Amino acid sequence: MKTFRIIQCVAAGIGLLMAVSLADSMSATGKEIDASVMLLVLSGIVLFGVFGNKGRKEAAK
């Protein structure tokens, strides 16, 4: 499970970087901004799930 958690954190980090790079363009279209917002939200959900499960497992011990 630790390996899966690491993979999730890396994937969420890549999603956050992609969201920033999409929205950072000077001539970003509406679809690019929408895509960056969706990547940001999905990456946030993944990170929240990873850290939420970690805290819940530690509390159960």
Side-chain angles (χ1 to χ4, degrees):
M1 288 302 283
K2 184 176 180 180
T3 304
F4 186 64
R5 192 176 316 137
I6 291 170
I7 292 170
Q8 282 182 323
C9 287
V10 169
I14 291 170
L16 289 173
L17 287 174
M18 288 300 298
V20 168
S21 67
L22 278 174
D24 193 34
S25 175
M26 292 296 280
S27 60
T29 63
K31 288 187 179 189
E32 288 175 334
I33 293 173
D34 291 343
S36 66
V37 169
M38 288 305 297
L39 280 171
L40 181 69
V41 168
L42 291 174
S43 298
I45 290 171
V46 169
L47 286 175
F48 182 73
V50 168
F51 292 119
N53 287 338
K54 186 176 180 182
R56 190 170 31 204
K57 286 182 182 178
E58 289 176 358
K61 288 183 179 180

